[in-house]
Amino acid sequence: NADTALYRAKDAGRNRVYYFNYEMKEQFEKELLLEQGLQKALEKNELMLHFQPQFDLHSGKTTRIEALIRWNHPEWGMVSPDEFIPVAEKAGRIREIGYWVIDKALESIKGLSKEYPDLERVAINVSALQLRDKEFTRNVKKLLDKYRLSPGKLEMEVTESVFMDRVEESIKILTELKTLGVEIALDDFGTGFSSLSYLRVLPLHRVKIDRVFVSQIETDQKMLSLVGSIIEMAHGLGFETVAEGVETAAQLKLLSESNIDTVQGYYYSRPLAIGVLREFLSNEKTVK
Ligand code: C2E
Ligand code: MG
Ligand code: MG
Ligand code: MG
């Protein structure tokens, strides 16, 4: 278990730093260990991508996959991206990791889209800090060229946090990417950003409705109604809609009745290592 390993490992470094708050010290030391581990993770090949299929309700096929980063630490086991991505951001390592993710995702979609022509593109998660890089679009273009892929093979998921500060700068870079032909999705929609009017000016292709909403539509009539309205509003603005965290047949049915375009979640498939993803896509091909 990751926590016990971390606590064990940090016994060695006790009493080095004094903090007035015990919880804070725990958190700080944990982050320090993660940060030090991350320095080696890339060199030692401990990072990898898993891919979660997105099911398109119009074609009845997997048309996209989302790349989700995994860190398999030799002692701690799997470390969640929710835990180490914020550490990488603070430590200034997110750009390097981000480019690694794009490279690996493109390498994977290159092979996969030849084998599975229904697969349109791979989506990656992009942190707000990556968009602060003036060379971002140019470097993305370089990586697309490296694999001789059209930009439409790549989608970027950004969260509402991207638009919290430096809105103009973020919109500019996303517009560059969109002009290049990369698709843009707004991830975790509904959880952060408050001003709906911004949706009009964002260069998006689709919005992904957060799992928190999806998890409540079966039991909460108002939530179902809210989700229905979000879908209608997104369509009205010209965006496609994706529901994330779909775990049950009942949720799928309700979302389908609300005109959702695409679903993603454990009900359809968990994030898969690339070998297992190939099996999954092969099965889908023979069924259809
Ligand atoms: P996200 O982009 O919103 O990804 C969805 C998360 O929900 C993933 O967690 C996925 O495994 C999980 N999930 C998918 N379907 C279901 C479901 O039906 N039920 C439940 N309970 N969970 C489901 P994961 O892989 O742990 O990633 C967590 C977050 O870490 C991601 O949220 C994303 O914000 C971030 N992340 C992952 N990979 C990257 C990356 O390469 N770069 C950056 N910057 N962030 C990443
Ligand atoms: Mg995502
Ligand atoms: Mg999400
Ligand atoms: Mg998320």
Side-chain angles (χ1 to χ4, degrees):
N1 156 307
D3 270 358
T4 11
L6 279 172
Y7 291 142
R8 230 188 299 121
K10 87 178 181 194
D11 276 338
R14 277 226 185 277
N15 302 328
R16 264 181 318 161
V17 212
Y18 180 75
Y19 285 96
F20 57 89
N21 174 317
Y22 186 71
E23 280 80 39
M24 192 170 154
K25 179 169 129 185
E26 295 285 287
Q27 185 57 27
F28 178 84
E29 291 196 6
K30 194 168 165 179
E31 283 184 14
L32 194 64
L33 278 173
L34 286 172
E35 186 185 324
Q36 287 162 353
L38 268 178
Q39 284 177 21
K40 293 265 174 259
L42 267 175
E43 304 160 27
K44 295 201 287 187
N45 264 329
E46 292 167 8
L47 298 181
M48 57 184 183
L49 295 182
H50 279 187
F51 300 92
Q52 189 174 32
Q54 293 185 359
F55 186 73
D56 181 293
L57 292 179
H58 304 289
S59 65
K61 285 171 179 145
T62 300
T63 51
R64 295 186 294 272
I65 49 177
E66 178 179 0
L68 293 156
I69 197 168
R70 297 289 177 260
W71 178 13
N72 194 358
H73 188 280
E75 288 157 54
W76 310 332
M78 283 290 182
V79 187
S80 160
D82 279 327
E83 217 167 345
F84 74 83
I85 290 291
V87 173
E89 288 178 343
K90 266 197 220 168
R93 307 290 313 272
I94 193 66
R95 287 184 186 180
E96 186 187 351
I97 292 173
Y99 286 126
W100 179 87
V101 168
I102 299 174
D103 189 299
K104 280 288 160 252
L106 291 180
E107 183 184 37
S108 305
I109 197 68
K110 176 85 184 176
L112 288 168
S113 57
K114 267 189 214 141
E115 292 164 61
Y116 308 100
D118 292 324
L119 200 56
E120 289 167 6
R121 69 183 61 86
V122 63
I124 56 152
N125 293 281
V126 173
S127 129
L129 289 175
Q130 289 176 260
L131 299 180
R132 298 281 146 80
D133 180 352
K134 295 266 177 290
E135 301 289 299
F136 189 64
T137 309
R138 205 206 309 198
N139 289 335
V140 169
K141 174 83 170 65
K142 271 192 207 154
L143 287 170
L144 286 162
D145 290 345
K146 173 178 171 188
Y147 292 105
R148 292 197 207 137
L149 281 167
S150 85
K153 288 277 179 241
L154 182 63
E155 175 164 325
M156 295 196 182
E157 299 190 0
V158 297
T159 60
E160 293 161 305
S161 69
V162 161
F163 306 105
M164 294 305 268
D165 59 30
R166 308 212 214 175
V167 191
E168 255 104 80
E169 198 179 315
S170 301
I171 292 180
K172 183 170 163 272
I173 298 205
L174 290 174
T175 305
E176 272 171 30
L177 289 161
K178 191 181 178 191
T179 307
L180 180 66
V182 172
E183 304 227 326
I184 314 289
L186 187 55
D187 204 356
D188 303 347
F189 181 73
T191 53
F193 201 56
S194 44
S195 172
L196 283 179
S197 70
Y198 259 119
L199 273 181
R200 287 166 18 252
V201 295
L202 301 184
L204 303 177
H205 292 83
R206 54 189 62 83
V207 296
K208 297 187 73 175
I209 300 169
D210 195 78
R211 173 169 92 223
V212 171
F213 293 80
V214 173
S215 68
Q216 294 174 58
I217 55 176
E218 275 176 83
T219 49
D220 183 344
Q221 179 61 42
K222 286 187 178 168
M223 193 55 99
L224 177 61
S225 167
L226 190 59
V227 167
S229 307
I230 293 174
I231 295 170
E232 205 183 313
M233 175 188 71
H235 286 161
L237 292 166
F239 307 144
E240 286 177 26
T241 53
V242 184
E244 50 174 39
V246 179
E247 293 183 351
T248 68
Q251 288 167 353
L252 175 60
K253 182 166 180 285
L254 293 170
L255 287 161
S256 165
E257 286 164 2
S258 309
N259 297 322
I260 196 90
D261 300 295
T262 304
V263 290
Q264 177 180 358
Y266 295 168
Y267 179 69
Y268 184 52
S269 170
R270 288 185 174 257
L272 307 170
I274 190 147
V276 189
L277 174 71
R278 282 205 159 84
E279 278 171 42
F280 179 92
L281 294 171
S282 298
N283 284 338
E284 187 179 79
K285 214 153 104 174
T286 46
V287 168
K288 282 284 150 188

